[in-house]
Amino acid sequence: MRKLHKIVTMVAAAAGMVAAATTTATASTTATASPTAGCALNLGSVTAGGDQTMQRVTGVTPPTAGAKSVVPGLYADGPVRMSASFVNEPTAAGTSRYGRVVLGDAMYQHWITLDKSGKVTESQLARIGGGWSKFIDHETSTFNDDPTHPRTYEYGLRSDGVLFRWVVGDTGAWKAYGSAPGFASVKSMTLISKAAAYDTFLANTRGGALYTIHIPVNTAMKPVVTKVRAGTWQGFETLVAGGCGNYGTVVVGIDKETKSAYLYTFGHANGAKTSITGHGKIPGTFADPTYFRFAPPVKSDWLFGE
């Protein structure tokens, strides 16, 4: 277990959220077979009872779901509102996991070690700061452009539609690195690309549209928003994505109203020309309040969705 970093407290203010109208159609796909079929994603969740789970889902048709591993009682009942991706790294003694979670109004860095049987041997939460009850989504992007000094950004979508970005330093200190308004209609967003010059998210809106949000690496933070599909994606409260080859993405869409999840594989993101293959409903019930991706260590976590 690494030592806890000194982390600078950050407080974020927010205004009310302006929501777009919703409909009830299901997500549309292309009929063309995807070259990315068969890719898999380690889907994580935090249950209402505070358990952390991991399940491997695979993009065959119909999708398959492996056995679910559970770390029981990792959190108190109910407070985990959001979780960014967690790194899941094998160690000689078992497994190391780390990522950022929002408990109530505050964000924490969480480090967990498990032995070979999956039992928790150490769990440390370091408070980053408050004001996160105003946010509806957040994600961490760590790009391995330099193995000895990867860059790390944290993104947070506030409920009034302002998207924020921070640089996270080696000591845990956060520095504001731009913001952009105009995302009040976004329902969920998930990271699909990390590169030296940009990050890219896939986002669905309450009106049903599906977009990519391409964010160049500069302080101006002027996202380029491109429509991928015009409608039918509003049914998903959460999107979770992972890499799938050099030019593809595997995406899980979770419908919390029906407690169901569906799996898709995307080709290289190219606006309306993006190929999307729907593989169908994933077996099982998806009723947890929080879902996220378990990622490999940064040195091997390459996302090439755009």
Side-chain angles (χ1 to χ4, degrees):
M1 172 70 65
R2 68 177 71 182
K3 292 182 179 180
L4 288 177
H5 297 305
K6 181 180 179 181
I7 300 178
V8 175
T9 299
M10 178 201 66
V11 179
M17 181 174 185
V18 179
T22 61
T23 57
T24 57
T26 57
S28 63
T29 65
T30 61
T32 305
S34 169
T36 60
C39 288
L41 172 72
N42 289 326
L43 182 65
S45 76
V46 178
T47 70
D51 303 340
Q52 188 184 71
T53 80
M54 180 167 65
Q55 184 176 35
R56 190 164 180 83
V57 296
T58 305
V60 293
T61 303
T64 60
K68 184 181 292 186
S69 65
V70 180
V71 180
L74 192 60
Y75 306 98
D77 293 358
V80 178
R81 292 184 53 248
M82 296 183 287
S83 177
S85 296
F86 260 68
V87 172
N88 188 67
E89 183 172 7
T91 66
T95 307
S96 173
R97 294 179 178 180
Y98 53 92
R100 297 190 179 98
V101 293
V102 174
L103 283 69
D105 185 59
M107 178 182 284
Y108 295 82
Q109 179 75 31
H110 197 182
W111 292 283
I112 309 157
T113 56
L114 308 173
D115 63 18
K116 290 185 181 296
S117 70
K119 181 180 178 181
V120 175
T121 58
E122 194 167 4
S123 175
Q124 296 187 32
L125 282 166
R127 190 178 188 274
I128 295 172
W132 285 90
S133 59
K134 310 287 198 311
F135 285 75
I136 62 170
D137 212 342
H138 77 100
E139 183 57 286
T140 305
S141 173
T142 302
F143 177 67
N144 193 37
D145 54 348
D146 181 342
T148 63
H149 190 79
R151 59 96 167 155
T152 300
Y153 297 155
E154 189 73 19
Y155 293 89
L157 178 60
R158 204 169 61 185
S159 58
D160 61 351
V162 179
L163 180 62
F164 292 86
R165 179 180 60 190
W166 297 267
V167 176
V168 182
D170 291 342
T171 62
W174 287 35
K175 180 180 178 181
Y177 194 50
S179 63
F183 297 96
S185 66
V186 169
K187 196 170 185 180
S188 176
M189 54 190 291
T190 183
L191 188 67
I192 63 170
S193 278
K194 300 186 293 184
Y198 63 89
D199 287 321
T200 305
F201 288 86
L202 182 72
N204 67 322
T205 68
R206 291 171 179 78
L210 189 69
Y211 293 91
T212 54
I213 304 171
H214 174 103
I215 306 173
V217 177
N218 54 59
T219 55
M221 193 172 171
K222 295 183 177 179
V224 178
V225 179
T226 304
K227 185 180 290 184
V228 176
R229 294 293 186 269
T232 76
W233 285 81
Q234 71 281 358
F236 298 131
E237 282 74 29
T238 303
L239 298 177
V240 181
C244 187
N246 288 336
Y247 295 102
T249 306
V250 56
V251 177
V252 173
I254 297 167
D255 184 341
K256 292 186 177 181
E257 291 185 2
T258 62
K259 300 179 182 179
S260 57
Y262 296 81
L263 194 145
Y264 304 85
T265 47
F266 284 55
H268 184 71
N270 185 24
K273 296 180 180 179
T274 306
S275 66
I276 306 175
T277 298
H279 296 278
K281 187 178 180 180
I282 301 171
T285 301
F286 295 82
D288 296 335
T290 302
Y291 287 90
F292 59 93
R293 176 178 75 110
F294 274 109
V298 62
K299 62 180 179 293
S300 55
D301 184 31
W302 303 102
L303 296 179
F304 297 110
E306 184 185 32

